[in-house]
Amino acid sequence: MKVAYLGPNGSFSEEAALKTFVDSTIDWQLCGSILEVLEAVGDRKVDKGIVPIENSIEGTINITADGLLANNLFIESEVIFPVSLRLLVNEGVQLEDVQEVWSITPALAQCKEFIRENQVKTKEFDSTSSAAKALKEQGRIDAGAIASSAAARLFGLQIASTKVQDNGENHTRFLVVGKRSADVLPFHKRNKIMLLIAPALDQSGVLSSILNVFSALSINLTWIESRPTKKRLGTYHFFIEAETGKDEAKTGKALKILRAFGHEVQVLGSYDTNRL
Amino acid sequence: MKVAYLGPNGSFSEEAALKTFVDSTIDWQLCGSILEVLEAVGDRKVDKGIVPIENSIEGTINITADGLLANNLFIESEVIFPVSLRLLVNEGVQLEDVQEVWSITPALAQCKEFIRENQVKTKEFDSTSSAAKALKEQGRIDAGAIASSAAARLFGLQIASTKVQDNGENHTRFLVVGKRSADVLPFHKRNKIMLLIAPALDQSGVLSSILNVFSALSINLTWIESRPTKKRLGTYHFFIEAETGKDEAKTGKALKILRAFGHEVQVLGSYDTNRL
């Protein structure tokens, strides 16, 4: 089986992928961007892909949400992955030597208090691991990289601090996706379902009327995200994730009612949760 | 008056800023990131800042939404700015010579059809204008930059194509923000209001109960965005923008009801729309 994820080696996506698929025969495909992962699955170059959809600090990763639709993918499971950021430095470098920290924008945003307190400058990289790699290659003794312990091991860097994150708890939610095929049931015995709902009319109160359908059926919503339709500013469709608790009859009823209202409803996946 | 915006020169933010504030005495402050703009206003280093909050293709710019809260800012107006992407090249370079296009990730995502059709590679930069600048400096004749006409003028590049965007219509919504002060009325005679609502309880159906308050008062919602509370994955607060149509009594009633439900409601701004 071929599985794609967002590289480079040492990325959080790699860690999540390796822990999710514990099969030594997998043919891993490293991709340069989230969109490349989704396209590889969409174009059937790989069997599955694993991509981040949401982080507890940064929120939804829009490129993933939009890419799911563009590539006609189906969500097969979700994986909750704890993210621990570390300050990595070259050998012998002390925390107080660090004048500049390198990382990807969201990681820098997650370490704002550390950055303010230590009055360090920041430099943005494409990924946490490319920051770590550059730090090692340039042998800089006045800079540090904010990345994972895995990146420290991979590039031979030391951990100068484990207390760089503003919030103790930081999780990233990954989705395992496959190509949507005709024989996949729109929903089956899984705990969660992901829907894309395009409202019938761009009318006042349309979102509350949609949400009321779920309320009325006592279906708990776990995630809602509005995304632009890309047709006109101010027009949206909604990603809605619901805990259907394997109740197929109730799920079917909700879809039927929503469609009877005239909304366009697409099932993007049905899945269980896997906590790493 | 000091006004901050996201540089470098030639950026879309610069174009929007110059068209919004037509006062030659303004002391402009170019910042390296959106967060820097918001912090400059928050720390009273400047009087106002102008930042993108939403694009019709890319959706909400999360760093702006979160930064508004972190820096205790107040929205004073919104500016709708039409974005037109162009393919810029060095002198004499033809469209068919271009093997690689350079730009910021969202702009590349907006030109996906062009990129597929012409089978060109992509390279990511920090901003559209830094891509244009690098193209000029390196004098590359096999690459192009996706950026604005302003960037073409600024860096002395030619426009090889005006038809690179997937969607004809592409707008960015900017917010003009100031420091929140005690004497600013929470809402006054403006057309729109922006609220941050932290639900009383993380209970099933809470969002639909919030939206029902607006429905019941016939207040149209123009934007809703869930953002993580950053405390725990799966807990959110909501940015809700409503068209209150200068009806202060009705707005006051909505706030009172929401608070009586036990929700925490903060007024982040009240403003009119300015179309460029």
Side-chain angles (χ1 to χ4, degrees):
Chain A
M1 188 172 66
K2 282 190 180 176
V3 180
Y5 64 83
L6 174 64
N9 291 119
S11 69
F12 284 112
S13 289
E14 176 172 82
E15 230 180 302
L18 295 177
K19 286 185 180 168
T20 302
F21 296 93
V22 282
D23 175 349
S24 61
T25 67
I26 284 174
D27 181 3
W28 298 106
Q29 298 281 128
L30 274 75
C31 294
S33 69
I34 290 174
L35 209 54
E36 263 181 49
V37 176
L38 298 173
E39 287 175 352
V41 185
D43 298 344
R44 296 189 195 277
K45 285 179 188 155
V46 297
D47 302 291
K48 288 179 201 298
I50 179 165
V51 283
I53 178 73
E54 188 189 13
N55 177 280
S56 52
I57 311 285
E58 284 306 306
T60 298
I61 295 153
N62 295 333
I63 207 137
T64 303
D66 294 348
L68 284 174
L69 307 183
N71 293 288
N72 201 18
L73 305 181
F74 197 80
I75 305 164
E76 298 179 357
S77 78
E78 71 165 345
V79 179
I80 310 289
F81 179 73
V83 173
S84 298
L85 295 174
R86 307 281 184 242
L87 181 72
L88 314 186
V89 292
N90 278 301
E91 212 184 318
V93 175
Q94 302 300 314
L95 181 54
E96 49 274 21
D97 304 330
V98 174
Q99 304 295 319
E100 205 176 294
V101 293
W102 300 356
S103 199
I104 195 170
T105 315
L108 293 172
Q110 287 167 32
C111 301
K112 241 178 97 186
E113 282 170 32
F114 173 85
I115 290 164
R116 281 210 172 185
E117 266 171 34
N118 292 277
Q119 295 184 297
V120 291
K121 284 188 215 162
T122 59
K123 193 173 165 185
E124 291 172 17
F125 282 75
D126 286 344
S127 65
T128 50
S129 56
S130 65
K133 194 179 173 200
L135 190 75
K136 179 69 180 184
E137 284 174 355
Q138 297 178 26
R140 288 276 291 265
I141 55 164
D142 60 338
I146 290 175
S148 66
S149 311
R153 283 192 299 277
L154 187 70
F155 299 113
L157 291 165
Q158 294 184 331
I159 294 173
S161 174
T162 58
K163 297 198 178 92
V164 290
Q165 273 178 223
D166 295 346
N167 296 275
E169 211 188 337
N170 185 3
H171 287 91
T172 296
R173 182 155 79 115
F174 286 86
L175 298 178
V176 175
V177 295
K179 183 77 180 172
R180 176 187 296 272
S181 65
D183 59 322
V184 171
L185 284 170
F187 53 93
H188 44 168
K189 297 217 168 295
R190 296 286 181 272
N191 192 42
K192 280 180 165 183
I193 192 166
M194 181 79 84
L195 305 174
L196 180 80
I197 303 183
L201 284 168
D202 185 22
Q203 67 187 37
S204 166
V206 73
L207 181 57
S208 82
S209 91
I210 290 171
L211 299 186
N212 285 341
V213 174
F214 295 98
S215 283
L217 293 169
S218 301
I219 297 175
N220 191 26
L221 301 184
T222 45
W223 192 61
I224 171 164
E225 182 66 47
S226 60
R227 291 290 303 146
T229 59
K230 302 185 194 299
K231 285 171 194 155
R232 197 162 57 81
L233 187 70
T235 60
Y236 305 94
H237 48 207
F238 301 95
F239 285 80
I240 290 181
E241 187 190 56
E243 249 169 1
T244 51
K246 311 187 186 186
D247 188 335
E248 291 186 21
K250 204 197 258 184
T251 310
K253 202 184 269 186
L255 298 186
K256 209 165 171 179
I257 296 168
L258 289 165
R259 286 176 178 140
F261 269 115
H263 308 309
E264 230 176 83
V265 185
Q266 205 181 326
V267 180
L268 300 181
S270 66
Y271 44 90
D272 290 322
T273 304
N274 179 6
R275 287 180 186 276
L276 295 183
Chain B
M1 188 172 68
K2 282 189 179 175
V3 180
Y5 64 84
L6 174 64
N9 290 119
S11 69
F12 284 113
S13 288
E14 176 171 83
E15 230 180 304
L18 295 177
K19 286 184 181 169
T20 301
F21 296 92
V22 283
D23 175 350
S24 60
T25 67
I26 285 173
D27 181 2
W28 296 105
Q29 298 281 128
L30 273 75
C31 294
S33 69
I34 290 174
L35 209 54
E36 263 182 48
V37 176
L38 298 173
E39 286 175 352
V41 184
D43 298 344
R44 297 190 193 275
K45 285 179 189 155
V46 297
D47 302 291
K48 289 179 200 300
I50 179 165
V51 284
I53 178 73
E54 189 190 13
N55 177 280
S56 52
I57 311 285
E58 285 305 307
T60 298
I61 295 153
N62 295 333
I63 208 138
T64 303
D66 293 349
L68 283 175
L69 307 183
N71 293 287
N72 201 19
L73 305 182
F74 196 80
I75 305 164
E76 298 179 358
S77 78
E78 72 165 344
V79 179
I80 311 290
F81 179 73
V83 174
S84 299
L85 295 174
R86 308 281 185 242
L87 181 71
L88 313 187
V89 292
N90 278 301
E91 213 185 316
V93 175
Q94 301 299 315
L95 181 55
E96 48 275 21
D97 303 331
V98 174
Q99 304 295 321
E100 205 176 295
V101 293
W102 300 356
S103 199
I104 194 168
T105 315
L108 293 171
Q110 287 166 31
C111 300
K112 242 178 96 188
E113 282 170 31
F114 173 85
I115 290 164
R116 282 212 170 184
E117 267 172 33
N118 292 278
Q119 296 184 297
V120 290
K121 285 188 216 161
T122 59
K123 192 173 166 187
E124 292 173 16
F125 282 76
D126 287 343
S127 65
T128 51
S129 55
S130 65
K133 194 178 174 199
L135 190 75
K136 179 69 180 185
E137 284 175 356
Q138 298 178 26
R140 287 276 292 265
I141 56 164
D142 61 337
I146 291 175
S148 65
S149 312
R153 282 192 299 276
L154 187 70
F155 300 113
L157 293 164
Q158 293 184 331
I159 294 172
S161 174
T162 58
K163 297 198 177 90
V164 290
Q165 274 178 223
D166 295 347
N167 295 276
E169 211 188 338
N170 186 3
H171 287 91
T172 296
R173 182 155 79 114
F174 287 87
L175 298 178
V176 175
V177 294
K179 183 77 179 171
R180 176 187 296 274
S181 64
D183 60 321
V184 171
L185 284 170
F187 52 94
H188 43 168
K189 297 216 167 295
R190 296 285 180 271
N191 192 42
K192 281 180 165 182
I193 192 166
M194 180 79 85
L195 304 175
L196 180 80
I197 303 183
L201 285 168
D202 186 22
Q203 68 187 35
S204 165
V206 72
L207 181 58
S208 84
S209 92
I210 290 170
L211 299 188
N212 285 341
V213 173
F214 296 98
S215 284
L217 294 169
S218 302
I219 297 176
N220 191 26
L221 300 184
T222 45
W223 191 62
I224 171 164
E225 183 66 48
S226 60
R227 292 290 303 145
T229 58
K230 302 185 192 299
K231 286 170 193 155
R232 196 162 59 81
L233 188 69
T235 59
Y236 305 94
H237 49 206
F238 301 95
F239 286 82
I240 290 182
E241 186 190 57
E243 248 168 2
T244 52
K246 311 188 187 186
D247 188 335
E248 291 186 21
K250 204 195 259 184
T251 310
K253 203 185 267 187
L255 298 186
K256 209 166 172 180
I257 297 168
L258 289 165
R259 286 176 177 140
F261 269 115
H263 308 309
E264 231 178 80
V265 185
Q266 206 181 325
V267 180
L268 300 180
S270 68
Y271 43 92
D272 291 323
T273 305
N274 179 6
R275 288 180 186 277
L276 295 183

